[in-house]
Amino acid sequence: MVRGDAREEVLLPAALKLFARHGVSGTSLQMIADELGVSKAAVYHHHHTKESIVLAVLWPAFEQVAALVERVGSLPAGGARRRALVEGLAEQAVTHRQLYAVMLRDVAVPALVASEPRLAAPFAVLRRELQPDHEPATAPLRVAMFLAGLVAPAGDPEIAQLSDEQLRRGIVDVGERLLDLG
């Protein structure tokens, strides 16, 4: 019998494929092992929990968000920094369109992300940095709506038809309007 491959570079795409088909909550370590043609122990050797696999699948996107936050932090505070964040987040939404579609629609994922400090920290900075200087009462709502909206295109079949450039421009336009960067 030919044995499958449980290396990380094979395991994570297989897990993402199953998450797309069954959701994060509906995918087990055994299902991932079966998809790879390996034992559950082979998967367990790399990741002791499904949550660990979810975090590993998400990590590249979150690492890029953290890098964006760091890079933009050198800009002067205010509109220029907020605009750069909006543009960078639009680029991330385009780059990780499939990942967002699969992972961020599952209700289990946001709770997992919130419980992991290395993933949650950049979003705390984003929320603070994106807030408009005026209207402090509605600023957190505007930011929350913008950030939640980054996930929306991934789940809408009509928006899924947009080209990368149309999606990028649309997100930037909505972000500028919602965050009053006009």
Side-chain angles (χ1 to χ4, degrees), residues 1 6 18 43 45 57 105-106 125 127 141 145 154 160:
M1 177 175 140
L18 289 170
V43 172
H45 174 73
V57 168
R105 287 186 303 184
D106 193 303
V125 174
R127 284 184 188 92
L141 177 60
M145 290 177 72

Side-chain angles (χ1 to χ4, degrees), residues 53-67:
I53 295 172
V54 171
L55 292 173
V57 168
L58 287 171
W59 181 245
F62 283 99
E63 191 173 45
Q64 289 177 2
V65 169

Side-chain angles (χ1 to χ4, degrees), residues 109-176:
V109 175
L112 179 61
V113 169
S115 71
E116 181 63 36
R118 68 186 175 133
L119 299 180
F123 283 95
V125 174
L126 276 175
R127 284 184 188 92
R128 185 177 61 251
E129 292 289 343
L130 285 170
Q131 289 192 24
D133 297 329
H134 64 288
E135 298 184 43
T138 63
L141 177 60
R142 289 171 181 244
V143 170
M145 290 177 72
F146 173 69
L147 292 174
L150 292 172
V151 178
D156 187 320
E158 194 171 315
I159 295 174
Q161 302 304 314
L162 295 176
S163 71
D164 288 352
E165 186 54 32
Q166 289 171 317
L167 180 58
R168 185 181 298 105
R169 279 195 322 257
I171 291 171
V172 169
D173 179 56
V174 168
E176 287 176 345

Side-chain angles (χ1 to χ4, degrees), residues 61-83:
F62 283 99
E63 191 173 45
Q64 289 177 2
V65 169
L68 171 67
V69 167
E70 186 175 325
R71 185 175 61 251
V72 170
S74 66
L75 296 173
R81 186 182 296 178
R82 290 177 32 238
R83 183 170 279 106

Side-chain angles (χ1 to χ4, degrees), residues 7-56:
R7 290 174 297 135
E8 193 81 353
E9 58 268 18
V10 176
L11 190 152
L12 297 180
L16 181 58
K17 177 179 157 186
L18 289 170
F19 294 152
R21 190 179 310 144
H22 304 286
V24 171
S25 300
T27 301
S28 67
L29 287 177
Q30 186 62 58
M31 291 168 73
I32 295 168
D34 292 345
E35 180 75 18
L36 296 170
V38 301
S39 68
K40 187 175 173 182
V43 172
Y44 190 78
H45 174 73
H46 295 280
H47 295 278
H48 295 298
T49 65
K50 179 175 61 175
E51 290 76 15
S52 172
I53 295 172
V54 171
L55 292 173

